[in-house]
């Protein structure tokens, strides 16, 4: 079992930045080679893919809407995945979830159904 806990959300003005963290416990990244992803769900909308990173961090993936503004990274020694959010826009307002996909190590999926562990989410609100 893997438990994921997100943190770092909050209220920020448009153009501002936040850094989200996702701490894993249970099984460590060193013995659970998992791709990690970030998804978000805005009010009244379906959850959508934001970004993903392979187990060793060699490859990263981004949704078109965040590419160039968000950066995903991970520190396997600390069992933590990060999402740096820059140049935030009101449309980035959502609950952000991190997820683990234990079936992949050298790739990462943008599909929700491929992730088998999820955190509870952290809320990001961007004011205009």
């Amino acid at each position: 079992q893997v438990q994921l806990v997100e943190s770092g959300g909050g209220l920020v003005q448009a153009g501002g930045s936040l850094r989200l963290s996702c701490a894993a416990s249970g099984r460590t990244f060193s013995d659970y080679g998992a791709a990690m992803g970030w998804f978000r769900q805005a009010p009244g909308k379906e959850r959508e893919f934001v970004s993903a990173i392979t187990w060793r961090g060699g490859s990263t993936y981004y949704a078109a809407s965040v590419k160039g503004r968000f950066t995903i990274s991970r520190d396997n020694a600390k069992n933590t995945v990060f999402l740096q959010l820059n140049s935030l826009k009101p449309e980035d307002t959502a609950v952000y979830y991190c997820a683990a996909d234990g079936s992949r190590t050298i790739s990462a999926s943008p599909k929700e159904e491929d992730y088998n562990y999820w955190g509870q989410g952290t809320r990001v609100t961007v004011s205009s």
Side-chain angles (χ1 to χ4, degrees):
Q1 284 285 345
V2 176
Q3 293 79 42
L4 302 174
V5 178
E6 302 94 335
S7 62
L11 173 64
V12 64
Q13 288 188 332
S17 298
L18 285 172
R19 190 191 196 202
L20 307 183
S21 298
C22 172
S25 60
R27 298 179 66 183
T28 63
F29 286 164
S30 63
D31 59 23
Y32 179 67
M36 300 295 294
W38 284 95
F39 292 77
R40 68 185 181 185
Q41 187 167 21
K45 295 187 177 181
E46 293 187 352
R47 191 156 56 185
E48 64 177 1
F49 170 76
V50 175
S51 183
I53 187 168
T54 52
W55 177 36
R56 296 192 183 275
S59 296
T60 57
Y61 308 85
Y62 297 94
S65 59
V66 307
K67 196 168 187 179
R69 300 188 298 121
F70 293 6
T71 303
I72 190 170
S73 61
R74 66 190 296 167
D75 184 340
N76 286 350
K78 297 182 178 179
N79 295 313
T80 304
V81 179
F82 304 98
L83 187 67
Q84 178 68 39
L85 287 61
N86 295 332
S87 303
L88 282 161
K89 304 175 181 179
E91 52 263 42
D92 294 318
T93 294
V95 177
Y96 284 70
Y97 300 88
C98 74
D101 173 7
S103 69
R104 287 175 174 78
T105 56
I106 61 173
S107 64
S109 172
K111 299 179 181 179
E112 276 190 60
E113 57 266 31
D114 289 334
Y115 291 81
N116 44 356
Y117 295 105
W118 290 83
Q120 293 300 305
T122 184
R123 186 175 300 276
V124 172
T125 303
V126 184
S127 63
S128 56

